[in-house]
Amino acid sequence: MRDAVDLEGANYNNLRYADDIALIADSEEKLQRLLKVVAKESERLGLRTNCDKTYVLAASKKAWTPVCSVAVNSVQIKQIDYIKYLGSWITLDGRSDMDIRCRIEQAKQAFMDMKNVLCARSLGLGVRKRLLKCYICSVLLYGCESWTINNRVHTVRNNQERKYTFKGSQEKSGKVRTSREMSGNFVET
């Protein structure tokens, strides 16, 4: 495949979802060629590229941000440092820190919205744990398959598990149980 990037043995030059297209290239020249092909084929079909909604994100492991200057029909495309694509934040350093921080904040808000139910003593612990997994864990872990995992991310995940299960882990006697003592963890691994 021409102008493709090798990702674990497979070659890609685009990701498509509905009317969104993410073009992938490992150089500015290859990206410009891909943009030219997409613009030409789109025009042939009666479509046009909306340059106001088109961005360039040059992801790199380097300490400095590479400048990527590409254009569509002589209109310069704006370069950005991060973008939300399909519900997840993509940053120029390729790390998941921003996405994880946002997910934690959204899970906190979801917990606060459901706090009366999740902390209700009238519901059994098993029911509250299932509600926690359904309404909080799903918000926290949305898109986690694409996260770049390192030791810091594991620490954050474990801290969130302890935080959300602590209030629900007290028995009527007041004794606090750890998440390991409870049947099933907050995050199933």
Side-chain angles (χ1 to χ4, degrees):
M1 186 183 304
R2 200 179 105 169
D3 293 338
V5 175
D6 179 50
L7 298 173
E8 296 189 19
N11 293 315
Y12 298 95
N13 66 4
N14 68 83
L15 299 173
R16 293 173 286 183
Y17 184 81
D19 63 344
D20 289 332
I21 301 173
L23 298 178
I24 305 167
D26 58 8
S27 73
E28 184 177 339
E29 295 78 24
K30 289 179 182 178
L31 181 59
Q32 183 62 60
R33 281 197 298 268
L34 283 172
L35 270 172
K36 188 175 181 179
V37 168
V38 169
K40 181 181 175 184
E41 290 301 311
S42 297
E43 287 176 10
R44 187 177 67 79
L45 297 171
L47 304 171
R48 66 174 186 82
T49 303
N50 185 345
C51 293
D52 294 332
K53 292 183 178 182
T54 304
Y55 305 101
V56 172
L57 189 139
S60 175
K61 292 182 180 181
K62 297 176 182 170
W64 49 274
T65 305
V67 176
C68 188
S69 179
V70 293
V72 175
N73 298 329
S74 301
V75 177
Q76 190 68 29
I77 302 300
K78 179 182 176 185
Q79 185 169 348
I80 55 175
D81 294 336
Y82 53 88
I83 190 167
K84 194 168 197 173
Y85 184 69
L86 301 180
S88 295
W89 286 101
I90 300 171
T91 60
L92 60 90
D93 62 2
R95 295 187 180 152
S96 303
D97 297 357
M98 183 179 197
D99 198 29
I100 292 168
R101 280 193 309 271
C102 289
R103 286 280 145 206
I104 290 170
E105 287 302 315
Q106 290 172 337
K108 284 180 187 176
Q109 185 59 50
F111 181 84
M112 294 309 291
D113 292 345
M114 296 284 296
K115 186 175 182 177
N116 292 339
V117 174
L118 295 171
C119 296
R121 297 280 183 195
S122 60
L123 293 175
L125 182 59
V127 171
R128 288 185 288 168
K129 284 175 24 183
R130 285 196 309 255
L131 288 171
L132 183 74
K133 286 181 181 181
C134 179
Y135 290 105
I136 311 306
C137 186
S138 61
V139 170
L140 178 64
L141 297 178
Y142 177 83
C144 69
E145 300 86 0
S146 65
W147 291 350
T148 305
I149 304 297
N150 56 29
N151 287 336
R152 198 177 73 62
V153 172
H154 281 292
T155 302
V156 167
R157 188 199 78 178
N158 292 337
N159 289 343
Q160 292 303 311
E161 175 183 351
R162 282 191 293 275
K163 182 178 183 176
Y164 289 124
T165 57
F166 179 74
K167 285 195 177 189
S169 66
Q170 293 182 352
E171 296 178 356
K172 290 184 181 180
S173 66
K175 179 185 173 194
V176 175
R177 297 188 308 170
T178 65
S179 63
R180 299 286 183 249
E181 293 171 324
M182 295 171 16
S183 60
N185 292 332
F186 174 69
V187 179
E188 296 189 18
T189 54

